[in-house]
Amino acid sequence: AGEERFSFKTPLGWLVNISFLDAEKRVVFVNRHLCTYMDSEGKATYAPPHVVDFHVIMIGLKKLNVKAVCAIGSTGSLRPAQVPVGSIVMPDDYAFVLPAPVTFWDRLPMGTFNPEGSQEGKIHFAPASGDDKAWVLFRAWVQKTLSPVLAEHADKIKVAPNQKGGIWPCVGSTQVGNDIKISYVQTSGPRFETRSEIQVYKNLGHIVGMTCSSEWTLSQELCVPYVLVCAIDNSANGLSLHPGGPVQEYLDHKGAIAEVTGALVNTLSAALSKGGPQGSW
């Protein structure tokens, strides 16, 4: 991330450790685990998934006039044969294991089906819907922008089945329809899932994490398109196909995934700095 850091107070609390990824200061970067939680001396410190204040992050980005969000997530595979460790995928849907309300309602002025006046967003919407034209457009642009990374780092990336034909990092198709290609499942954390839990979750989705469904929901409430790109750095508990087990599997892929993730961020930053899908952001 950029060297210069700044903070500001959102309507819901402080967003800290923010930086820009480009000289023009058009691309904002926040590390979800290092931007909402401070120690006794007021220094940003690590926040585990259950402590991250997603409300502060998302309203903070909106108040910074962010037009769209592209998030990078670290995930485990619920279906290693279909979504192998070392692959990069772009989910087209998401789910919560414990679907407690995640909303700005009662915390910010919100509309119901459409924001009006000073309202920040709306609470009734169909998540990850192909009818959301702004999201579909941004998602297609992100896919096209990131596509060259595969060729540049082919030795570091596992290609999942159904990622052929120039659609990477999408799976199956770049289109969003009623069929679900890749679904991100969010658990509450901070512990990892039990083997029994994973047997249930793999029927619900394809990859598992602890943060991004919350971000996605709140971003949609604020009418800000949110596109998620996930690195698969381990198999979920009890599903590893690696002869050395899940820990060795993670260690074997850690370096390559870090390099690829860096390439994804750099590629996106360079393209977004030029104005994004419309060239005018």
Side-chain angles (χ1 to χ4, degrees):
E3 296 180 2
E4 183 182 358
R5 298 287 192 276
F6 68 96
S7 306
F8 82 102
K9 191 173 184 179
T10 78
L12 300 178
W14 282 94
L15 184 62
V16 303
N17 204 30
I18 311 163
S19 62
F20 289 102
L21 296 181
D22 61 330
E24 296 77 16
K25 296 186 176 181
R26 302 180 71 178
V27 185
V28 178
F29 175 83
V30 293
N31 181 330
R32 61 173 66 90
H33 294 290
L34 287 170
C35 66
T36 63
Y37 190 63
M38 291 173 281
D39 60 20
S40 59
E41 298 178 354
K43 182 180 179 181
T45 189
Y46 175 75
H50 71 295
V51 176
V52 175
D53 194 330
F54 300 108
H55 292 79
V56 167
I57 293 174
M58 302 320 297
I59 190 59
L61 291 175
K62 182 168 185 179
K63 293 300 183 182
L64 286 171
N65 200 32
V66 165
K67 303 300 184 186
V69 174
C70 185
I72 305 293
S74 173
T75 59
S77 178
L78 292 168
R79 307 184 192 186
Q82 184 179 349
V83 186
V85 175
S87 61
I88 306 292
V89 298
M90 185 184 293
D92 58 301
D93 202 6
Y94 65 92
F96 286 93
V97 172
L98 298 173
V102 178
T103 179
F104 283 107
W105 187 261
D106 278 345
R107 302 190 66 181
L108 292 172
M110 299 292 292
T112 50
F113 290 91
N114 285 294
E116 298 179 359
S118 62
Q119 293 174 337
E120 297 287 356
K122 58 187 178 182
I123 62 168
H124 297 313
F125 58 89
S129 169
D131 294 329
D132 185 343
K133 302 305 181 184
W135 173 63
V136 170
L137 174 65
F138 184 53
R139 189 174 186 274
W141 180 86
V142 170
Q143 185 277 323
K144 184 177 179 180
T145 299
L146 292 181
S147 185
V149 174
L150 176 60
E152 296 165 1
H153 298 271
D155 59 327
K156 300 290 193 303
I157 299 172
K158 286 284 188 72
V159 177
N162 297 324
Q163 273 193 320
K164 305 292 195 300
I167 66 171
W168 184 93
C170 291
V171 176
S173 170
T174 59
Q175 303 301 308
V176 178
N178 290 330
D179 60 320
I180 300 169
K181 286 83 172 179
I182 296 290
S183 183
Y184 174 103
V185 178
Q186 180 176 318
T187 63
S188 56
R191 69 163 175 82
F192 289 95
E193 304 75 29
T194 68
R195 286 171 292 133
S196 294
E197 288 169 341
I198 290 301
Q199 292 302 311
V200 176
Y201 301 163
K202 70 180 184 180
N203 295 316
L204 185 61
H206 304 79
I207 56 178
V208 61
M210 303 178 188
T211 58
C212 297
S213 295
S214 293
E215 294 174 351
W216 201 333
T217 296
L218 294 174
S219 192
Q220 281 200 269
E221 272 204 349
L222 296 175
C223 305
V224 177
Y226 179 99
V227 168
L228 176 59
V229 179
C230 291
I232 317 303
D233 58 21
N234 66 283
S235 294
N237 194 3
L239 299 180
S240 177
L241 303 176
H242 194 285
V247 175
Q248 189 60 49
E249 179 179 50
Y250 169 76
L251 294 173
D252 286 353
H253 291 90
K254 182 179 179 181
I257 287 174
E259 180 180 323
V260 173
T261 300
L264 294 173
V265 172
N266 291 336
T267 300
L268 278 170
S269 176
L272 287 168
S273 184
K274 297 177 181 177
Q278 307 296 337
S280 58
W281 286 356

